[in-house]
């Protein structure tokens, strides 16, 4: 709901580039555009680029990864970005499988509901949210529906995957449990 979303959105928010950064890439089915998002280890995420075509993505993302401490690069391996030539060959590429994409969408939704994320306000993300449809996967899971949404949801997918990539178990602090 709009009031819940509004609590997590900030005009002044920006990923802290001095921290560990995750880069995510997404594109619509026709690949007329591509979206690149960044998320820091504290859960601040923002759309970094959203522009026509996909031919610019690999070089741009590789440069970003090197500039930001060899940041991981995540994308939906079975989505439209998965077929961007050369993306999966980048040194820090970590393609998400279908299960990870489902978990990313659910985790993003929960983080918004629980105010565990800060999203930099962006008109392309807002348009994706306004036109969003969810696609049910089984009885209790869903993903953002690329075809049924009335707007291109690649900006939303990019921030969703960036957030999820920054939350991988290997990035979470180990918690010691006393018995």
């Amino acid at each position: 709901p709009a009031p819940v979303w509004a609590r997590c959105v900030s005009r002044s928010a920006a990923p802290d580039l001095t921290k560990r950064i995750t880069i995510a890439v997404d594109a619509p089915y026709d690949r007329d555009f591509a979206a690149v998002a960044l998320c820091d280890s504290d859960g601040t995420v923002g759309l970094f680029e959203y522009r026509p075509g996909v031919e610019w993505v690999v070089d741009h993302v590789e440069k970003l990864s090197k500039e930001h401490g060899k940041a991981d690069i995540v994308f939906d391996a079975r989505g439209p970005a998965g077929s961007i030539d050369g993306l999966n060959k980048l040194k820090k590429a970590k393609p998400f499988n279908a299960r990870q994409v489902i978990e990313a969408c659910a985790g993003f939704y929960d983080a918004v509901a629980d105010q565990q994320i800060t999203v930099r306000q962006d008109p392309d993300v807002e348009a994706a949210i306004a036109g969003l449809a969810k696609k049910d996967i089984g009885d209790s899971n869903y993903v953002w529906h690329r075809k049924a949404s009335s707007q291109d949801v690649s900006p939303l997918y990019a921030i969703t995957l960036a957030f999820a990539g920054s939350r991988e178990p290997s990035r979470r602090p180990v918690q010691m449990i006393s018995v």
Side-chain angles (χ1 to χ4, degrees), residues 5-157:
W5 174 250
R7 294 186 313 217
C8 297
V9 176
S10 169
R11 285 187 178 134
S12 61
D16 184 344
L17 301 180
T18 65
K19 297 185 178 192
R20 180 78 177 156
I21 295 294
T22 300
I23 302 166
V25 177
D26 199 68
Y29 278 114
D30 59 14
R31 287 178 277 299
D32 282 348
F33 280 81
V36 175
L38 303 178
C39 187
D40 66 27
S41 56
D42 290 336
T44 300
V45 64
L47 186 64
F48 186 75
E49 292 277 346
Y50 180 62
R51 58 180 161 141
V54 295
E55 64 283 343
W56 58 272
V57 171
V58 173
D59 290 339
H60 187 67
V61 169
E62 183 175 36
K63 180 181 172 193
L64 278 174
S65 179
K66 288 177 183 176
E67 286 175 0
H68 299 294
K70 297 185 179 175
D72 289 341
I73 303 160
V74 299
F75 56 93
D76 179 353
R78 297 191 139 220
S83 66
I84 296 174
D85 190 36
L87 187 59
N88 64 344
K89 294 178 184 169
L90 292 177
K91 189 167 256 175
K92 296 291 284 181
K94 294 189 174 185
F96 277 22
N97 63 34
R99 169 58 46 201
Q100 289 170 305
V101 173
I102 292 167
E103 290 171 357
C105 291
F108 186 86
Y109 185 90
D110 291 345
V112 169
D114 296 338
Q115 292 183 286
Q116 300 294 314
I117 186 172
T118 303
V119 180
R120 183 178 66 213
Q121 189 172 33
D122 183 278
D124 296 312
V125 172
E126 296 297 326
I129 293 286
L132 181 64
K134 293 190 295 188
K135 179 180 181 179
D136 291 333
I137 308 292
D139 290 335
S140 62
N141 293 307
Y142 54 85
V143 293
W144 313 142
H145 201 310
R146 294 177 192 279
K147 290 182 180 177
S149 295
S150 64
Q151 298 290 322
D152 175 13
V153 294
S154 64
L156 177 59
Y157 257 113

